[in-house]
Amino acid sequence: MQMRRLGHDGPEVSALGLGCMGMSEFYGPYQEVDGIALINSALDRGVNFLDTADMYGPFKNEVLVGKAIASRRSEVFLATKFGNVRGENREFLGINGSPEYVRKACEASLRRLGVETIDLYYQHRVDTRVPIEETVGAMAELVREGKVRHLGLSEASAATVRRAHAVHPITALQTEYSLWTRDPEDGVLEVTRELGIGFVAYSPLGRGFLTGAIRSIDDLDATDTRRNHPRFKEGNFEGNLRLVDAVREVAASKGVTPAQLALAWVLSRGEDVVPIPGTRKLARLEENLGALEVSLGADDLAKIESAFPKGATAGDRYPDMSTVNR
């Protein structure tokens, strides 16, 4: 397994991580036992960077991951998140970055995961009601107590990252990044590199769209939340599909799949970038890992840029964009 370092002085992790969210929610029905098997298959193949969050399920995904790694804890670099608050009935209750909630959320995650220490603890979304210095200060207390090893932020602006890093070193910033979401190139990546912070790219396959496997909205389960995302809506869907088909042609010319080309593109953005594609199928996991063997030269990158120019994607990333990049 190829390895990459999170930040200048951070931990080494597998060059591709595994996003576990879809094993518990959002993308249609799925069995816990299958998720546990898939995580173990990923570990068998050298993937050691697992990503979860307390809100996935809600709460169920951390339990699933905990069961999967119970006998293999030493093989795993474990990341989870707090801040997006949900209730037992799956309702969304807002964002909370208060110091009191930071500790409460961490204790709950440790119990669900069945571990003594979380390797990387992210604030999932920035709470604009609480100064970031207070939130990160509380997170730093968890590091001093040995409950957390490294701190991270998710979907934070460049300015917020600077303020947070001044309180306690931030090891990683996690933000959506792919051919169809290149927002981090507008200042955020510049700041993470200046400060020596690793960049974790979630949804590097555009929520599955860049695989080319989604040809119609009917390819998604009736309960799949992507049906509500602007980029999957009628009008946007068709234009985005044309972009993916253009990428498919470039991939075919290299003898790789669209997913492998899309992941190789994210990997090519820099050694400090670690994509964490999510999947629920072993075949997809193996396909994704094949991206590590794909080399992209200047000509390849130019062809990809021509096929899928920056800013070409139709539609916003989320139905409500008010909680991102604060």
Side-chain angles (χ1 to χ4, degrees):
M1 172 57 65
Q2 297 175 29
M3 306 295 285
R4 291 192 168 185
R5 187 174 299 279
L6 291 178
H8 288 172
D9 303 310
E12 278 197 332
V13 298
S14 51
L16 276 183
L18 178 63
C20 300
M21 179 189 77
M23 299 175 189
S24 298
E25 197 180 12
F26 300 116
Y27 295 164
Y30 193 68
Q31 298 298 313
E32 180 187 77
V33 63
D34 296 325
I36 292 172
L38 183 65
I39 289 172
N40 276 278
S41 294
L43 296 177
D44 291 342
R45 287 159 175 78
V47 176
N48 75 341
F49 188 14
L50 302 183
D51 182 89
T52 182
D54 57 4
M55 72 162 284
Y56 301 157
F59 319 123
K60 295 178 182 178
N61 199 243
E62 287 185 328
V63 173
L64 184 158
V65 171
K67 290 178 180 179
I69 69 172
S71 62
R72 309 182 68 168
R73 179 66 181 97
S74 63
E75 301 175 53
V76 176
F77 186 84
L78 179 61
T80 191
K81 316 176 198 72
F82 75 94
N84 276 328
V85 188
R86 297 184 68 185
E88 295 291 344
N89 296 319
R90 303 177 64 185
E91 68 272 28
F92 287 85
L93 302 175
I95 297 171
N96 193 337
S98 68
E100 298 78 15
Y101 185 76
V102 170
R103 179 168 296 278
K104 176 182 176 182
C106 181
E107 297 286 359
S109 288
L110 289 168
R111 287 194 299 272
R112 285 189 291 265
L113 290 162
V115 299
E116 295 182 353
T117 307
I118 295 164
D119 296 311
L120 176 57
Y121 199 42
Y122 292 103
Q123 182 183 21
H124 207 160
R125 290 291 186 273
V126 176
D127 184 348
T128 57
R129 304 167 304 168
V130 180
I132 192 66
E133 291 82 359
E134 292 185 16
T135 303
V136 174
M139 295 168 71
E141 284 291 332
L142 299 173
V143 176
R144 287 188 282 272
E145 294 171 12
K147 295 175 180 177
V148 170
R149 290 193 174 92
H150 302 277
L151 302 186
L153 300 177
S154 179
E155 291 286 0
S157 68
T160 299
V161 171
R162 283 189 186 280
R163 289 170 56 195
H165 192 69
V167 176
H168 186 279
I170 300 299
T171 297
L173 174 69
Q174 181 178 143
T175 297
E176 186 173 352
Y177 191 32
S178 69
L179 278 171
W180 83 340
T181 298
R182 295 175 63 175
D183 304 11
E185 296 174 3
D186 298 329
V188 170
L189 274 169
E190 180 181 353
V191 169
T192 57
R193 285 168 176 163
E194 174 193 335
L195 299 177
I197 298 170
F199 188 94
V200 177
Y202 79 82
S203 292
L205 293 173
R207 305 182 191 283
F209 208 108
L210 295 173
T211 66
I214 303 171
R215 309 300 299 175
S216 162
I217 197 67
D218 293 329
D219 289 333
L220 303 178
D221 186 83
T223 63
D224 194 312
T225 58
R226 288 174 290 186
R227 286 174 169 268
N228 298 319
H229 284 227
R231 295 181 175 181
F232 288 80
K233 291 290 188 180
E234 185 176 355
N236 293 335
F237 188 102
E238 294 78 9
N240 292 333
L241 190 59
R242 286 192 290 271
L243 292 169
V244 171
D245 285 341
V247 170
R248 182 195 294 270
E249 292 181 11
V250 179
S253 71
K254 284 191 68 68
V256 301
T257 69
Q260 289 171 336
L261 189 77
L263 286 174
W265 181 87
V266 177
L267 288 162
S268 78
R269 298 299 87 190
E271 288 293 320
D272 56 338
V273 178
V274 179
I276 52 167
T279 185
R280 310 197 300 181
K281 298 179 180 178
L282 180 59
R284 286 291 186 192
L285 171 66
E286 293 176 339
E287 177 185 359
N288 291 346
L289 290 173
L292 294 169
E293 307 305 321
V294 178
S295 176
L296 298 178
D299 288 346
D300 297 317
L301 293 171
K303 289 178 183 178
I304 294 170
E305 188 73 28
S306 177
F308 208 131
K310 181 179 178 179
T313 313
D316 286 337
R317 293 195 281 141
Y318 290 99
D320 177 5
M321 292 287 288
S322 64
T323 65
V324 298
N325 296 320
R326 288 175 165 175

